[in-house]
Structures are given as structure tokens and as C-alpha cells.
Amino acid sequence: MHKATKFLIFLFLTLTLISCDALPRVEDSYNVPTLTPLAPTPAPTIPAAPPGADGVGLAFFRAWELNDYLGMYSLLSPQSQALVDSQTFVALYEDAMTTATVQSISSQPLASVQDGTKAEMEVQVTWQTAVIGNISRKFTVPLTYVQDRWGIVWTEALILPELAGGNQLQLTLRTPARANIYDKNNTALAYQSNLITLGVVPGQITDEFNLLTLLSTLLKTPAEDLKERYANAQPTWYVPLGNITAEMMQANYNQLEPFLSAGLTTDPYLGRVYNNQKVAPHIIGFTGPIPAEDIQSYLQAGYQPDEWIGRAGIERWGEGYLRGQPGGILDVRGPNNEYVTTLAESSPRQARSLHLTFDANFQTALEKALADALRPLGRNGAVVVLDVNTGAVRGLASYPTFDPTLFGPSNNGRQQELQALLNDSQQPLLNRVTQGQYPAGSVFKLVTFTAGLKSDLFTPSSRYNSTGTWAGLGENLIKRDWREGGHGNVSLTQAIVVSCNSCFYEVAYQIDQQDSNLFPTIAEQFGFGSVTGLDGVVEASGLVPSPQWKLNNRGQGWSRGDAVNMGIGQGDLLVTPLQIANMMAAVANDGQQLIPYLIDRIGASGNAPEERWPVRTSRLLPLTPDELATLQKSLLDVTTAENGTATHRFVGLPFAVAGKTGTAETLPGLAPHAWFAGYAPATPYTTPAGESILEPQIAIAVLVEHGGEGSATAAPIFRRAVELYYNLTPITPYPWE
């Protein structure tokens, strides 16, 4: 064998043995020198980007869900921030969200991938809009790692893919006509109608005297007031003077026509009209422009900037029903406003009318009765009528009242009247039935009576000797009865009939001595200290003082005198006429206190059927049937017994009423507030039409601010309300007429 061949075989065997770990190393056996391999060429060092790109992406969309546009901007890459400033960025998002009426944003991450300093994240984003439903898109979001942080590589396509390249959204709204408000018998109280604004161009007037005479008649405004409105105007100015309906325009066109080319202008528009009597403004409320501070939220809800909304009363409460659901077309427009595509489209949903619980004729008569009573006396006040079996409001009047058209577009030229209304110290806009808070006076003795029974210290037949004064708090704090010399020896039930203050001082004193929290608790169980739940109007809660309330609000401890004052409805106690009427309704219906309501039914619309408002019970009075019967008998005696405090006010009615007088002390030097509250009929009654009424139907509360004794001013108004409700004739004149 050739020597070279032998060497190659030897080398092959040696390398084979070296590669086998199980065998001894070749160099150990044969001392073969070890060969060192060449080192590889080192690659350039590239620092790896830290994880967290998907966290930045998630934070970006979370900030969008929270409308935190500046937070979103902070997550953009430096290069993107160099291309768009924060103000423009925020404006782009706000404009898109407002235009599309976006109510909320939801996002769902789908996938993410990261490769060195580049990353992508896929996210599903859904816009929930007020007008056109939901819009969902998948976004592929690029991210880059620059300047030691991850950032979003942003373009307009991350608002919506269709907005790439500077496109914009455009929404065309389709708003249904505002629905009407009716009384229970379908008489329109507030409705949409064609109106005509009558105005003048002063320099074109040729027959000023006759023009102003005619306009004065149509607009029910003195001619000199109309002239004053354009007195300082330039000859070419247009000055609106007032509004009439299209029907009035047609009926008087022949008289108006000669002036149409001689200074008179007419401007038609669609507006809100309230019936001729302007009935129940404190209930119906009024419409007005969207407040400047709320404009953004209304725009996102699908309103137009110049749209009018309900601002008070049922108009405000029922906005969602009365306006309906607008529809619209959401288009994409190019940088030059050219049409690109339609994103979504929806049809409007018809508005729904609201039907109220009262009869417009009775409501109008009730308002007139209150005004006729209080105007001569120079007093303010309230009256409310409730259905004792359902809680439905059958009448609600607050005096002084106001003209709701002063708040509408038809108030052109009447700004002085509007300003005078807003600045009136008599507060005509205040709904005294639901917002007026007053000491209750003796009508609160029903609560004191109940608390006495619940304390187990008294029974309906418990006796008290009334001498005209009460010194339970000490000789320096003597309290006097309204009747000089007192009422003699009376039972607790008789004390209600004669309204014996000293008896109820004693009851409250002993209750508080036993448990200072019992009396306030019973008052709350009658519904005082909290709103009744009447929808559609603003309602005050009143106030029931208690040991805890006084400590929290006055920083003072409760005294026995606090309870004694509350025993006759005085002290810190405050109630509303509605709360008093609701208490009387519960007494009349054997103890169920109902939640009053103004909505009789909501009209049908499209697939939505007509809805009847439910009758709802809030609580039961803390009285047993026997105790209630005893209380009812006392309230009947107030108006029928020889010694009843209001018997003389109800002589001659074809049925009896039950009720309670109240004379609530106010500030020193001012006359007390006058109360009368009760229910009718309190005895069976057969109407002239032959209908038999065996149980009470209505509860009424009357409050006259600084009206003096309840029997003197409030009780006659109560009687007038009963006569009007039951169409009794002749109407009894007020004592002061």
C-alpha cells in the first residue's frame, strides 16, 4: 500500500474516534496536537426594542373610549406629532364624533405583531351613534419605536378608514315634527303650527296710525308700545313686532293687505303654539334654544345647533317622546366637498304625543278661581287637586302665573316683557305647588295625632284640658292657643276638630320625652321630607327636622322645644302643597299613599303602542283601619260639626267635605300663611245626572302666602275648587268679593 494512502486512512480513523464521546480521546492515546478553528466575523450589534407596543396601542384606544383626545395625542410617534399639532388632532376627532353623533366608543384588540422597532396591532372599533346606529371598522395600527418609546404612526385613517386623505364626514338629519301635548280629552295644549311674524320697516310706513291700530288689536299690545319698539331703528331696518297664527293671518288678510307694501312685513315659520288660554304653564312648561353650555352634548345626541328643546315642565321632561328619533344620512366628503360614499343611513322615528291627566276646562277654571281670589288680596298661592284613588293630578295652579310664549320664537319684540318676568320679585315662574316650601301649620296635626297613637302614650279618646296657655317648656316659654281661654276639656280627636294647639304641644312634648326620633320618623312615613315622585315638574323635598339633622346642619343638639314646635307644624318643618294634598289623598283612600302623576298616556308611534301610565303606591300610612276611621271622622267634623274650625265655609254644599285648616306663622311682622286641605265628597252624593258617588274622589290642598287664617282665605278657595270640579251652581262668591 502506498504510504500516502496509509496516512489518509489513519487520519480518517482518528477523526472518527474524536467525534465519539464514548471512546477515549485520540490525543490522550496518541498525543496528537489540537487544532484551533478560526473565529467567525462578529455581526453589528442592534439593540432590541423593549416589549410593550401593544400596551401603547391599547392605551390609545382606551383614551378614545374616554374622549381623552390629548391623551391619545401623547401616544403618537414623534414623527406623527411633527405632522399634526395637538389642537388640530383634537379638533379632527371632536368634529368626527360630533358629526356622526357618537355617544360612545368601544374597542376590541384582535392581534398584534412586533418585529424589532416596528409593530402592528389589529383592533375592532365600534361607534355607537345617536342617529345612524353602530358603525364598526377594523383598524391596522402601525407603531414604531423611536426616542426610547413606542408611538402610534398616525393618519386620518385611524379616525375612520374612509377619512384617509383628508376626507370629512357630513350628516344630513331628518328630524320628525315635534309631537303635541294634550289634556285627558284630547284638547291640544301645545302643538306645532304655522306662525307669521309681523314686522315693520320704519322708513316705508305711510299710514302709521291705522297700521299700529290694527297691529295693536292682532298682537294684543298697546299701539304706543309697538311704536316704541322701532322708535330708535334706522329707516331701512326690519323690526319684528309680534306673531300671529296662519289662521289669524288668513282671517285678517283683507285688513292687512293694504299695509303689506307700506311698511308691514310678514315672515312665516313653523313654531310651538300654546292654546289660547295659555293653560297650565307651570305644568306644560316651554321650549327654547339649546343653552350654549350644553350645545356640544346636544349636537352629539343628534340635535341641530338652531333646534329648540323643552326647557321646562312637560316640554322638558317629555323631550325624548315629543321630539321623536331623528334619522339621517352620514356621507363622506372629499377635501373639495365632493361626494365620496355613504357610510350609513337611518329613517326618523315618529314623535309621540303626551296626554295629561287633567281636563283643560277645569284647569283653566281653577287657575282663574285662584287668580280671582288672590289678585284682590295682593297675595300669592297655590292649589292642587289629586285623584285619591290613582294619584292623577286633576288640577294644579300656581299664582302668579306667566305666558309661556315669551320664551319662544314668538316673543319677537317682547324682550322687555320677558326681562320683567325673569326679574319679577313675585317669582311667577316658581311652581308653588311643587317647589314652594312652607311651614305646615295645623294641617300637620294629622301627623302629630298619628305619632301620639304610635307612641302608645295616647289613644284617640285621651283627654286634655285646654286653658289657652301651655307652659310645658317653663314659665319663660309659655305658648298660647289661638283661642283666648282655650277649648276646655277635649279628647285627642276633638283637638283636631277645634285645632287645639296646646293639646298638640303636650302630645309632641311627651312623645319627644319618650323617643326624640319617633315623631320625625312618623312624619317621614307620611311622605314629608322627600319628593312625592311627580314626573314632569321640578319638585322640592321640604324638610323634616330631627336630632341628627339639627346636629349635622346646625351643629346643635335637639331640644324638646324643637319637637313642640313641630307638633303644630312650625319650627324648621317645611312642606309643599303637593305633599299636603298627597297626605290627604292617602287618608281619604284608607291609607295608601300613591305617587302623583301628570301623564295619563303616551301616544302610539310606529311599532310602539299607546302606553297608559301606571298607578303606583309609595307607602302605607302608619295607621290601623280603626285609627284611620277615627281621623276621617275628625276631619269631617272640622267642616260639619258646630265647633269645627271651617264649618261656616261649607254650608250649602250638596255633600260634605272633610279637611283641616292651617294658619302657619312666618316672619315677625308678616301675616301667617293660610292652609286648607282635605277631600271630597266625604259623604255619599248623587249627581244631577243620577251618578252615585259613595267614596271620596279628590283631595285638594290650598295655600295662600301670608293669607291669614286658613278658614278665612284658603277654605273659600277650596270650596270654589270643589264647586268647579263637580259643576255645582251657583258658584259661591268669595267672602271678600
Side-chain angles (χ1 to χ4, degrees):
M1 183 178 294
H2 194 278
K3 288 183 180 180
T5 303
K6 290 181 179 180
F7 177 76
L8 290 173
I9 294 172
F10 171 77
L11 181 60
F12 171 77
L13 294 172
T14 302
L15 292 175
T16 303
L17 291 172
I18 291 172
S19 67
C20 183
D21 290 339
L23 298 175
R25 293 187 302 167
V26 171
E27 57 266 35
D28 291 341
S29 304
Y30 297 96
N31 197 24
V32 176
T34 304
L35 300 177
T36 304
L38 294 174
T41 304
T45 301
I46 302 175
D54 54 349
V56 171
L58 290 173
F60 181 84
F61 287 97
R62 176 60 177 159
W64 194 0
E65 292 175 348
L66 298 174
N67 298 323
D68 181 9
Y69 303 124
L70 285 177
M72 296 169 67
Y73 184 79
S74 71
L75 298 172
L76 301 191
S77 68
Q79 297 94 324
S80 294
Q81 290 179 344
L83 294 174
V84 59
D85 61 82
S86 61
Q87 186 174 353
T88 302
F89 179 87
V90 170
L92 287 169
Y93 273 90
E94 287 183 339
D95 181 67
M97 299 300 97
T98 300
T99 301
T101 69
V102 175
Q103 303 294 287
S104 63
I105 297 282
S106 61
S107 61
Q108 178 65 45
L110 302 176
S112 64
V113 60
Q114 181 176 326
D115 184 11
T117 59
K118 304 295 181 184
E120 279 189 352
M121 183 178 187
E122 193 173 74
V123 181
Q124 179 88 26
V125 177
T126 301
W127 296 0
Q128 291 86 31
T129 78
V131 172
I132 53 174
N134 291 349
I135 299 175
S136 292
R137 293 290 186 274
K138 283 184 181 180
F139 292 83
T140 299
V141 185
L143 297 98
T144 185
Y145 188 79
V146 180
Q147 298 179 5
D148 297 327
R149 71 175 181 88
W150 284 103
I152 304 287
V153 180
W154 187 85
T155 67
E156 292 97 329
L158 288 184
I159 303 175
L160 203 67
E162 289 86 350
L163 299 186
N167 291 342
Q168 293 182 325
L169 297 176
Q170 181 184 78
L171 178 66
T172 303
L173 280 174
R174 301 167 174 172
T175 303
R178 192 172 184 86
N180 298 343
I181 301 174
Y182 299 95
D183 79 344
K184 62 180 294 188
N185 299 318
N186 295 322
T187 298
L189 304 176
Y191 54 96
Q192 298 296 97
S193 181
N194 292 315
L195 299 175
I196 309 291
T197 298
L198 299 179
V200 294
V201 178
Q204 297 178 5
I205 297 175
T206 58
D207 186 357
E208 185 176 50
F209 176 80
N210 286 320
L211 173 60
L212 290 178
T213 300
L214 176 59
L215 294 181
S216 175
T217 301
L218 294 176
L219 300 176
K220 297 181 174 57
T221 304
E224 55 270 24
D225 290 352
L226 295 175
K227 184 175 181 179
E228 185 179 347
R229 293 175 186 174
Y230 64 83
N232 297 320
Q234 295 296 320
T236 58
W237 288 5
Y238 160 69
V239 181
L241 297 181
N243 300 273
I244 60 175
T245 64
E247 291 77 12
M248 289 180 64
M249 180 71 183
Q250 184 176 2
N252 293 276
Y253 183 79
N254 290 336
Q255 294 173 274
L256 290 166
E257 194 273 336
F259 299 102
L260 292 177
S261 57
L264 178 65
T265 64
T266 60
D267 185 17
Y269 70 97
L270 183 67
R272 197 69 165 167
V273 176
Y274 298 94
N275 74 345
N276 293 335
Q277 287 77 29
K278 310 295 189 296
V279 64
H282 291 97
I283 297 175
I284 305 301
F286 49 84
T287 59
I290 299 171
E293 63 272 18
D294 298 329
I295 188 70
Q296 191 62 33
S297 60
Y298 274 93
L299 291 178
Q300 286 192 233
Y303 284 76
Q304 300 182 67
D306 59 350
E307 195 167 342
W308 283 53
I309 62 170
R311 295 290 299 272
I314 295 296
E315 291 275 28
R316 178 177 180 176
W317 176 88
E319 178 71 13
Y321 296 110
L322 296 170
R323 182 176 183 258
Q325 177 63 43
I329 303 173
L330 185 64
D331 291 332
V332 176
R333 294 277 172 173
N336 297 318
N337 200 37
E338 69 276 16
Y339 172 81
V340 176
T341 186
T342 295
L343 288 180
E345 183 174 356
S346 66
S347 299
R349 191 164 64 239
Q350 181 185 347
R352 303 181 68 180
S353 60
L354 298 177
H355 301 253
L356 306 186
T357 56
F358 59 83
D359 174 84
N361 292 330
F362 173 67
Q363 173 68 23
T364 301
L366 189 68
E367 292 175 15
K368 183 177 185 302
L370 186 65
D372 289 347
L374 301 186
R375 190 182 298 111
L377 299 175
R379 296 289 184 258
N380 303 328
V383 56
V384 56
V385 182
L386 299 180
D387 187 313
V388 304
N389 297 307
T390 65
V393 175
R394 297 306 184 199
L396 185 158
S398 180
Y399 183 85
T401 188
F402 66 95
D403 181 354
T405 62
L406 285 174
F407 294 91
S410 59
N411 73 341
N412 290 334
R414 302 173 68 192
Q415 291 300 320
Q416 288 183 339
E417 293 179 61
L418 176 59
Q419 202 58 46
L421 172 65
L422 296 174
N423 296 332
D424 193 331
S425 61
Q426 302 303 309
Q427 296 181 281
L429 295 174
L430 180 72
N431 184 345
R432 285 169 162 80
V433 171
T434 64
Q435 294 174 276
Q437 300 181 91
Y438 309 93
S442 291
V443 291
F444 198 72
K445 289 172 181 174
L446 279 68
V447 179
T448 314
F449 171 88
T450 303
L453 300 185
K454 298 298 119 178
S455 71
D456 293 329
L457 297 172
F458 301 91
T459 68
S461 58
S462 294
R463 311 294 297 184
Y464 175 80
N465 187 40
S466 167
T467 63
T469 60
W470 183 81
L473 297 176
E475 293 299 322
N476 294 327
L477 295 170
I478 292 178
K479 293 183 174 292
R480 301 186 180 278
D481 248 310
W482 66 269
R483 182 176 182 178
E484 188 73 24
H487 301 276
N489 193 277
V490 294
S491 68
L492 191 59
T493 54
Q494 291 171 333
I496 289 180
V497 178
V498 299
S499 202
C500 177
N501 285 349
S502 57
C503 176
F504 288 98
Y505 288 142
E506 183 64 25
V507 171
Y509 182 91
Q510 291 194 37
I511 295 171
D512 192 71
Q513 195 171 35
Q514 180 194 67
D515 180 355
S516 59
N517 287 304
L518 176 61
F519 193 9
T521 298
I522 295 298
E524 291 170 354
Q525 291 174 355
F526 270 74
F528 296 107
S530 59
V531 297
T532 67
L534 177 64
D535 289 320
V537 294
V538 177
E539 189 180 357
S541 62
L543 172 64
V544 173
S546 67
Q548 191 63 51
W549 172 86
K550 191 173 183 184
L551 184 63
N552 292 345
N553 292 273
R554 300 276 175 80
Q556 300 172 354
W558 183 256
S559 71
R560 193 121 310 137
D562 293 319
V564 167
N565 285 334
M566 192 163 70
I568 62 163
Q570 297 285 169
D572 292 312
L573 177 77
L574 293 174
V575 303
T576 69
L578 179 62
Q579 289 172 332
I580 293 294
N582 209 33
M583 172 184 71
M584 285 298 184
V587 172
N589 70 24
D590 295 330
Q592 282 198 339
Q593 194 158 73
L594 304 169
I595 297 176
Y597 62 97
L598 279 162
I599 308 299
D600 181 69
R601 61 194 186 277
I602 301 167
S605 171
N607 295 327
E610 182 177 88
E611 296 178 41
R612 288 277 176 179
W613 203 259
V615 174
R616 298 174 292 168
T617 301
S618 61
R619 61 179 64 84
L620 295 175
L621 296 185
L623 289 163
T624 67
D626 287 343
E627 291 167 344
L628 263 173
T630 299
L631 183 57
Q632 291 165 348
K633 177 62 168 62
S634 293
L635 297 178
L636 178 61
D637 287 347
V638 167
T639 65
T640 59
E642 184 177 348
N643 59 350
T645 56
T647 297
H648 61 298
R649 294 301 183 198
F650 295 98
V651 174
L653 282 177
F655 51 80
V657 302
K660 183 72 190 75
T661 53
T663 304
E665 297 297 327
T666 58
L667 296 174
L670 295 177
H673 297 320
W675 285 96
F676 193 88
Y679 52 87
T683 53
Y685 168 57
T686 301
T687 69
E691 178 189 0
S692 294
I693 302 174
L694 303 178
E695 301 290 341
Q697 291 184 322
I698 55 172
I700 306 172
V702 178
L703 178 281
V704 180
E705 294 179 4
H706 308 295
E709 293 184 0
S711 62
T713 54
I717 299 172
F718 182 102
R719 176 173 182 143
R720 178 69 62 88
V722 171
E723 291 174 339
L724 291 171
Y725 190 83
Y726 288 103
N727 296 310
L728 303 179
T729 55
I731 294 294
T732 305
Y734 291 127
W736 50 90
E737 287 183 327

